[in-house]
Amino acid sequence: MAVKERVRYVAILFAILLALPLVNISRFAFFENSKYVNDPNNRYTYEETALRGRIVDRNFRPLAFVSSGERRYPLSVAIGPLLGYANPMYGDSGLEAAVRDNIKGFSVPRTPWEAMLLLDKRDRCGDDMVLTIDSIWQTRAYEALAGYRGAAVVLDVRTGEILAMASRPSYDPNYAQLRRDWDSLIKDSNAPLVERAGQGMYPPGSVFKPLIMAACLEEGKARIDETFYCQRKIDVGNFVLNCNGEHGKVTLEEALAYSCNSAFAELGMRLGLDGIRSWMKKFKLDRPMPYVPGSVKAQLPQGSSPSAPAEAAIGQADILVSPLNMARLVSTLARGGVDMEPRLLRSQVREGEKIVWQCPKAEASRVISQANAQLVNKAMEEVVLRGTGTASQIPGMTLAGKTGSAENPHGSTHAWFIGFTPVQEPRYAVAVILENAGGGGRYAAPVAKNILKLAGELQ
């Protein structure tokens, strides 16, 4: 009996020893395979570049595809920071990395999941990813930024879809050129590898004032016919804040048109810092945008000094936003106070015809009343007609906008412009940031003009 017991124990022991590696292998295959397959140090990760699916624009124009075993990028520098690269030497980055699992192909399935995918496909090539980007708008936005460091975003006001996200400086992600430029790119202090449109963080300066105006109108803390007295400066508690001019007696509409710091500092004190933070949240600037991979949330003001609300109201203090954040804000106003979350991803298509994933349509949510949004929009139209944004005027087109000149602790003033066209039936919204360029009215407004002129040319 004792011998049988010992044999039984030995058998159980061997069974356990056999089961342990099988359990471990199963755990690796089902739960941890992606950790190692996607590890940048895995030299086999990019071996199947030839089978990688395409990235295409909204009209199915190719933005990234494989030819002769190499990844090709037809728009080159015009879209480099946004798309990133898929390169056997340097791995992948940007959208190429974000949608890797959606578009990758495989000659031999390495995981049960890949094996299951192959059962639903006629070949081993990856799916295509369709973006909301329009190649024509993307190219125009990039060209308009020539000579500057900065970024531009163009949104379709009706849908929230992104038509362009351009950054400068840029780089050519095509294999041969990227290999030649790599050492200089990673050492360049101008950071050409950074995608500035959705990931750059900047103080907004005066392009933040439309939000403050909307908030005060909505809360009843200001009236459109209210007058303010600007004497070029205002005491905001612990220091004196200067204005960009001595505007004298101005209405709220005129205060926005002439970008009067004194008037908006006073409005900021009425709202308080908690109120300003609350309204940034209502405009959803603090929220992630899951369908714009890599995009960043705005940084809400956290200051505690007596002057913090006044500084925040003119887009200074410690507020930081991306150009995409500001394009979202101005689009909300253009829609009459209705927010729609921006989209960059549109769909995933298999074998050129079968839609395997479709980005859900952006839900519309009201932020402010249509009446108050129209008051802000009318003031932004005055910015362009006779205020600080006259350099953005486009013959034959109506435009509403706001300029901004944002001070920053790391160099010269940033130039901003946000706006939309046409005024009565808004279709396109734009946000432009030019790093260390100077005044928004002088520098960013003409850039926005050159971009939005395309709307008239496409008619």
Side-chain angles (χ1 to χ4, degrees):
M1 190 70 179
V3 173
K4 290 183 178 180
E5 287 293 331
R6 284 196 292 271
V7 170
R8 185 180 296 113
Y9 290 143
V10 170
I12 292 173
L13 177 61
F14 273 99
I16 293 173
L17 291 175
L18 179 63
L20 284 174
L22 291 176
V23 170
N24 196 48
I25 290 172
S26 299
R27 177 179 60 82
F28 170 81
F30 285 96
F31 301 109
E32 296 189 14
N33 65 82
S34 62
K35 172 183 175 182
Y36 298 100
V37 168
N38 296 325
D39 192 304
N41 295 315
N42 179 1
R43 69 192 184 99
Y44 296 104
T45 299
Y46 307 101
E47 67 177 6
E48 294 165 358
T49 301
L51 297 175
R52 198 177 183 105
R54 301 181 304 164
I55 299 176
V56 299
D57 80 351
R58 64 192 300 113
N59 298 307
F60 285 85
R61 299 185 186 99
L63 302 174
F65 65 96
V66 175
S67 177
S68 302
E70 292 183 6
R71 199 71 167 158
R72 309 281 184 176
Y73 302 91
L75 293 192
S76 183
V77 293
I79 204 167
L82 177 62
L83 285 187
Y85 49 79
N87 188 292
M89 292 189 68
Y90 311 117
D92 56 11
S93 70
L95 272 177
E96 286 276 28
V99 302
R100 177 199 305 139
D101 290 342
N102 304 84
I103 65 174
K104 71 179 179 181
F106 30 81
S107 56
V108 177
R110 301 193 186 103
T111 67
W113 175 248
E114 290 181 352
M116 291 175 63
L117 278 179
L118 280 180
L119 294 176
D120 191 42
K121 292 165 62 68
R122 291 196 294 264
D123 58 41
R124 298 173 185 271
C125 292
D127 297 338
D128 292 339
M129 181 58 68
V130 184
L131 306 184
T132 63
I133 292 293
D134 186 306
S135 294
I136 297 174
W137 279 99
Q138 180 71 23
T139 302
R140 172 61 67 89
Y142 177 77
E143 290 174 347
L145 292 168
Y148 295 104
R149 289 195 317 273
V153 176
V154 181
L155 287 182
D156 185 327
V157 172
R158 302 167 305 173
T159 63
E161 292 187 329
I162 298 170
L163 301 177
M165 287 180 72
S167 298
R168 280 205 186 230
S170 181
Y171 66 95
D172 185 342
N174 286 289
Y175 177 79
Q177 192 62 47
L178 185 64
R179 186 173 181 179
R180 284 193 291 268
D181 295 342
W182 184 256
D183 287 342
S184 61
L185 288 173
I186 60 176
K187 296 174 184 176
D188 193 334
S189 60
N190 289 318
L193 295 170
V194 173
E195 194 287 294
R196 287 165 157 82
Q199 299 175 15
M201 297 288 280
Y202 307 92
S206 292
V207 293
F208 195 68
K209 290 174 181 174
L211 181 150
I212 299 298
M213 181 177 178
C216 286
L217 288 171
E218 195 74 5
E219 288 193 11
K221 293 184 175 179
R223 303 184 317 275
I224 193 63
D225 60 350
E226 182 176 356
T227 56
F228 299 83
Y229 295 89
C230 173
Q231 297 178 328
R232 192 179 283 273
K233 58 186 177 180
I234 180 173
D235 188 335
V236 291
N238 57 318
F239 76 94
V240 173
L241 187 151
N242 293 317
C243 193
N244 58 4
E246 188 170 347
H247 300 114
K249 182 179 177 180
V250 291
T251 65
L252 180 56
E253 181 180 281
E254 291 171 332
L256 190 74
Y258 301 129
S259 203
C260 178
N261 285 345
S262 296
F264 278 89
E266 183 174 333
L267 293 178
M269 301 299 280
R270 295 179 189 178
L271 282 172
L273 205 61
D274 286 342
I276 293 172
R277 282 194 290 260
S278 174
W279 276 99
M280 289 183 72
K281 292 178 180 179
K282 289 178 182 178
F283 276 93
K284 300 181 176 63
L285 300 183
D286 67 322
R287 299 204 183 172
M289 302 181 211
Y291 301 113
V292 188
S295 60
V296 297
K297 301 182 293 183
Q299 176 178 295
L300 276 57
Q302 301 298 324
S304 58
S305 68
S307 63
E311 293 179 82
I314 62 171
Q316 296 294 163
D318 51 356
I319 295 176
L320 294 175
V321 297
S322 71
L324 180 57
N325 294 147
M326 299 314 294
R328 181 177 189 171
L329 168 65
V330 76
S331 293
T332 297
L333 295 171
R335 292 187 205 99
V338 174
D339 174 72
M340 297 178 75
E341 181 187 285
R343 264 87 168 115
L344 178 63
L345 304 180
R346 208 176 205 193
S347 61
Q348 182 179 334
V349 178
R350 182 162 298 166
E351 294 158 352
E353 55 187 29
K354 179 182 178 183
I355 297 177
V356 297
W357 174 81
Q358 184 86 38
C359 185
K361 289 185 178 179
E363 294 183 3
S365 61
R366 181 159 294 283
V367 180
I368 62 171
S369 70
Q370 183 174 10
N372 284 330
Q374 288 175 343
L375 292 175
V376 178
N377 293 344
K378 176 63 167 57
M380 288 198 293
E381 188 176 11
E382 291 298 310
V383 170
V384 174
L385 291 175
R386 61 189 177 95
T388 60
T390 55
S392 65
Q393 293 176 2
I394 304 172
M397 294 174 62
T398 57
L399 175 65
K402 183 68 189 80
T403 61
S405 304
E407 297 178 2
N408 75 96
H410 307 294
S412 302
T413 299
H414 297 320
W416 277 98
F417 185 90
I418 60 173
F420 61 86
T421 189
V423 172
Q424 297 305 319
E425 296 182 13
R427 175 76 185 275
Y428 303 105
V430 67
V432 173
I433 175 76
L434 306 178
E435 296 177 6
N436 311 121
R442 182 174 181 181
Y443 297 102
V447 171
K449 171 183 177 177
N450 289 337
I451 295 172
L452 291 178
K453 281 168 61 177
L454 181 59
E457 296 169 10
L458 292 176
Q459 290 180 348

